[in-house]
């Protein structure tokens, strides 16, 4: 049997370099329960110096930056599940993407856990941005905020973004962020913040609120 060296430059199947990264962190009480809060970060990977096609993304550095989110208000590391998916297309600009998903089990939901998760993910995402490359901070328009929050809720909870109605909105101009409340046709509500990490548009937090039950009863006269 003869071993043949593989010439990567002539390979028909290749993952290429990573052009974009999506990180998603979710918190749930237990593996059997629905995630009640999720955070998403979308980043473009800068071209390497010299314009070569090599992949210079530090994937281990990204995971190391995310490790603090495992604590979420606790002294010991919480249990988690982690998955990583990488894909590449052969048409157009031939983009390559890396997706990292992390689910953390927190036990009973409390205000302390919720606040700690928000603060911890904010710090971790800032560190991830340092690893991948600092993105440009641009103003977030209302139209962009609505589109981003709908897409984020749809990604986090597998709902139809076009079926989400806007119930409330608040613009935080000083922070370059927007807080929107979206409702699905089933009555689920999502409190979504676009730009929650230093006003960067690609950072979005999504909190799944309790379902709003509709009632036809007018109560006693």
């Amino acid at each position: 049997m003869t071993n043949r060296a593989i010439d990567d430059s002539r390979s028909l199947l290749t993952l290429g370099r990573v052009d974009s990264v999506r990180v998603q962190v979710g918190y749930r009480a237990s593996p059997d329960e629905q995630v009640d809060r999720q955070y998403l970060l979308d980043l473009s990977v800068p071209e390497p110096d010299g314009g070569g096609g090599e992949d210079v993304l530090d994937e281990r550095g990204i995971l190391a930056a995310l490790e603090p989110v495992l604590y979420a208000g606790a002294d010991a590391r919480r249990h988690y599940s982690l998955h990583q998916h990488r894909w590449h297309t052969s048409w157009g600009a031939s983009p390559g993407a890396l997706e990292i998903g992390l689910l953390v089990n927190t036990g009973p939901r409390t205000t302390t856990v919720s606040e700690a998760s928000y603060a911890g993910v904010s710090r971790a995402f800032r560190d991830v941005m340092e690893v991948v490359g600092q993105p440009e901070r641009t103003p977030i328009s209302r139209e962009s905020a609505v589109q981003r929050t709908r897409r984020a809720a749809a990604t986090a909870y597998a709902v139809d973004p076009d079926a989400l109605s806007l119930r409330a909105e608040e613009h935080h101009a000083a922070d370059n962020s927007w807080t929107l409340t979206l409702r699905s046709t089933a009555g689920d509500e999502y409190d979504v913040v676009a730009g929650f990490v230093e006003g960067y548009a690609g950072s979005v937090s999504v909190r799944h609120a309790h379902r709003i039950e509709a009632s036809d009863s007018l109560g006693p006269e």
Side-chain angles (χ1 to χ4, degrees):
M1 183 175 179
T2 304
N3 292 326
R4 294 186 301 171
I6 298 177
D7 181 359
D8 290 338
S9 65
R10 301 181 62 184
S11 297
L12 295 179
L13 289 176
T14 176
L15 287 171
R17 68 178 296 271
V18 175
D19 300 288
S20 64
V21 174
R22 162 166 286 182
V23 178
Q24 186 169 338
V25 177
Y27 288 91
R28 58 190 178 184
S30 70
D32 299 326
E33 296 197 37
Q34 188 180 46
V35 175
D36 65 325
R37 187 178 286 272
Q38 300 211 44
Y39 305 89
L40 299 93
L41 178 66
D42 290 302
L43 294 168
S44 296
V45 180
E47 287 282 347
D49 293 336
E54 69 274 11
D55 195 346
V56 296
L57 184 67
D58 182 5
E59 296 182 22
R60 290 187 178 182
I62 294 175
L63 294 180
L66 290 173
E67 288 182 356
V69 309
L70 300 178
Y71 292 89
D75 295 327
R77 173 184 61 81
R78 298 181 183 275
H79 291 296
Y80 66 91
S81 65
L82 174 70
H83 77 263
Q84 179 174 306
H85 175 63
R86 182 169 172 177
W87 57 269
H88 166 77
T89 58
S90 63
W91 60 83
S94 301
L98 173 69
E99 297 179 355
I100 296 175
L102 178 61
L103 289 175
V104 183
N105 305 323
T106 63
R109 299 179 180 90
T110 66
T111 301
T112 300
V113 169
S114 179
E115 292 176 350
S117 72
Y118 189 94
V121 171
S122 297
R123 290 192 298 268
F125 277 7
R126 284 196 293 269
D127 291 341
V128 171
M129 289 158 64
E130 289 284 348
V131 173
V132 177
Q134 282 290 351
E136 182 180 359
R137 187 177 184 269
T138 57
I140 306 174
S141 67
R142 180 184 181 277
E143 180 181 3
S144 176
V146 172
Q147 292 178 346
R148 285 182 178 275
T149 54
R150 278 179 169 156
R151 287 200 303 265
T155 298
Y157 291 98
V159 295
D160 180 2
D162 295 329
L164 294 172
S165 60
L166 179 61
R167 309 298 296 179
E169 63 181 84
E170 185 176 358
H171 182 209
H172 313 282
D175 298 327
N176 193 41
S177 66
W178 289 78
T179 300
L180 288 81
T181 298
L182 307 174
R183 183 182 293 178
S184 70
T185 53
D188 290 294
E189 285 200 347
Y190 305 93
D191 295 324
V192 194
V193 181
F196 83 99
V197 180
E198 298 183 343
Y200 171 56
S203 62
V204 183
S205 73
V206 186
R207 184 179 71 88
H208 183 205
H210 294 293
R211 177 168 295 186
I212 307 300
E213 299 292 345
S215 174
D216 293 330
S217 174
L218 298 178
E221 294 292 336

